[in-house]
Amino acid sequence: RRVHGDTDLLNAMGSSALGYAACAVGVLGFGTSFVPVKKFKTHDGFFFQWLMCVGIFLAGLIVQAVRDSPKFHFIACFGGFLWCTGNVMCPIIIRLIGMGLGLSIWGTTALLMGWATGFFGLFGLEKEPVPHPVMNVIGVVFAIAATFAFAAVDTTSSEEPEPEIRSGSPTSIVSSVVSGRYGGINEPLLPVSGSATFAAKAAVERDFFESLPSVTKRVAGCTMAAVAGLFFGANFTPEEYAMDHHKHNSDYSQNGVDYVFAQFTGIFVASTIYMFLYAMFMRNKPVINPELVLPGTLSGVIWSVAQIAMTVANTQLGLVVSFPIISVGPGLVANLIGILVFREIRGRRNFTLLAIAFALTFTGVALITASKQ
């Protein structure tokens, strides 16, 4: 998007090539960022999300040093706060309405939010030009359909009876990638073992959720999923706003990477606040698995590489192209890993759904890419 009126065809092609390469890195990074914690128990996810945000912050420090310490803008911190807030809402959403419906709602809402921000120029942003807008819209529709198809895949089912899955079974990488980054579809968000205090609190929480009327759970879960999706989709909006409205101010860089450290700082600070609140709720007895320290931090570093790549793609291609591609692509990567590496996807129904999802993904990406030409 910010090629700055470049009329040189070769330079424009180079910018597009860089943007699509960044999309590929983003898709690969988001699709694999939870592989390091595949074999470890994440329990209720709060400690894991904090470790992940530690890794994100460390990566931000490196970016800040490499970029020669660009000016810190607090407005970008707000984008990090939005993303982190949506992230910590996901376990509650899953408890209320389940993985499939929750993912479908927040995934679709996030994709639409990020895309519409650029397409319509929402929140004071500049409207991004698209040479073939109808083709772009159709591509986004295909991407949304792919999101629903991926959400319908059961990562543990099989046409043959499966052994009972223990509460401590490894989390599903497919579920983790698309679920707001927490435990697998068959792993309780709260462990069934541990201290008596925690067991009591787990029972209280289960009783609380189970005691809610089904209509209340559905309304609350769907509403929270939509809000989380809006937060995910708006996490780049603050920095985009700063660049659009301060083009002639030398204090504001026109390179999105220069806002990465501020955004990652917002993520880390918000995550730490939520971790403290969680510890208070647990009466200073949070559920902590020390085995998560290194793999959880590594997950954050991998995620940060993908986020940085998405920042580059946003700058070179615009939100109307980069956001739909990078939103739907990780589901394809994660499912391929689930099939080829962990063999957690089985059954004719699941493979049929995956074939449909893959076809929708490739078609949507092709249309979105062509719309920019």
Side-chain angles (χ1 to χ4, degrees):
R1 179 160 72 96
R2 289 184 177 80
V3 186
H4 303 300
D6 192 353
T7 58
D8 185 273
L9 180 59
L10 292 178
N11 287 341
M13 290 176 62
S15 296
S16 295
L18 176 60
Y20 289 119
C23 282
V25 173
V27 167
L28 183 62
F30 287 132
T32 60
S33 59
F34 298 93
V35 171
V37 296
K38 167 68 179 176
K39 300 299 183 181
F40 301 93
K41 300 176 185 179
T42 57
H43 295 305
D44 59 11
F46 273 92
F47 182 58
F48 166 62
Q49 68 86 25
W50 183 75
L51 289 173
M52 184 179 173
C53 294
V54 169
I56 292 171
F57 181 69
L58 292 176
L61 287 173
I62 295 174
V63 172
Q64 186 75 348
V66 170
R67 295 295 298 173
D68 197 23
S69 300
K71 187 176 178 62
F72 189 97
H73 294 287
F74 283 96
I75 188 173
C77 291
F78 184 60
F81 167 78
L82 291 176
W83 179 86
C84 187
T85 302
N87 200 39
V88 298
M89 290 171 66
C90 292
I92 301 173
I93 295 168
I94 295 170
R95 294 295 297 271
L96 291 171
I97 59 176
M99 175 76 70
L101 181 58
L103 164 63
S104 299
I105 294 175
W106 78 58
T108 299
T109 307
L111 192 159
L112 284 174
M113 182 66 172
W115 168 81
T117 299
F119 192 86
F120 297 107
L122 304 180
F123 307 109
L125 269 62
E126 293 180 355
K127 184 177 179 180
E128 297 177 357
V130 182
H132 306 286
V134 175
M135 187 182 297
N136 184 266
V137 171
I138 295 174
V140 170
V141 172
F142 272 92
I144 293 172
T147 299
F148 278 89
F150 280 128
V153 175
D154 186 347
T155 60
T156 59
S157 70
S158 173
E159 291 184 337
E160 297 178 0
E162 291 295 317
E164 182 179 359
I165 298 176
R166 298 177 292 106
S167 63
S169 61
T171 59
S172 160
I173 185 64
V174 178
S175 302
S176 297
V177 166
V178 294
S179 71
R181 328 333 193 189
Y182 297 107
I185 234 172
N186 285 288
E187 180 174 0
L189 292 173
L190 293 172
V192 296
S193 61
S195 66
T197 301
F198 179 76
K201 284 186 174 293
V204 169
E205 183 170 343
R206 283 196 298 270
D207 290 342
F208 172 75
F209 284 110
E210 292 172 1
S211 66
L212 292 174
S214 58
V215 174
T216 301
K217 289 196 292 186
R218 199 165 187 84
V219 171
C222 290
T223 301
M224 289 182 65
V227 172
L230 291 175
F231 286 172
F232 289 145
N235 81 92
F236 288 104
T237 301
E239 63 190 61
E240 294 281 328
Y241 181 91
M243 288 187 283
D244 280 353
H245 289 264
H246 299 90
K247 286 185 176 181
H248 304 293
N249 187 337
S250 60
D251 287 338
Y252 288 83
S253 170
Q254 290 298 301
N255 187 337
V257 177
D258 290 334
Y259 297 84
V260 162
F261 178 63
Q263 185 191 55
F264 287 5
T265 299
I267 289 175
F268 175 70
V269 171
S271 176
T272 301
I273 291 173
Y274 291 133
M275 187 64 188
F276 275 118
L277 292 175
Y278 163 70
M280 292 172 61
F281 173 78
M282 297 298 292
R283 297 182 182 177
N284 201 31
K285 292 186 177 181
V287 182
I288 293 176
N289 179 3
E291 292 182 333
L292 281 175
V293 172
L294 291 180
T297 304
L298 178 58
S299 284
V301 172
I302 297 173
W303 183 93
S304 67
V305 172
Q307 183 79 345
I308 293 167
M310 190 170 183
T311 301
V312 174
N314 291 342
T315 300
Q316 302 300 327
L317 302 175
L319 297 172
V320 294
V321 173
S322 63
F323 217 100
I325 292 176
I326 301 180
S327 292
V328 73
L332 187 151
V333 173
N335 278 283
L336 285 176
I337 294 175
I339 295 170
L340 301 176
V341 179
F342 299 113
R343 302 189 183 282
E344 61 190 7
I345 298 175
R346 295 177 291 272
R348 183 179 305 168
R349 172 186 175 276
N350 285 326
F351 282 113
T352 299
L353 284 170
L354 280 178
I356 295 172
F358 283 14
L360 290 170
T361 298
F362 286 122
T363 303
V365 170
L367 288 170
I368 293 168
T369 300
S371 71
K372 192 69 174 179
Q373 305 305 314

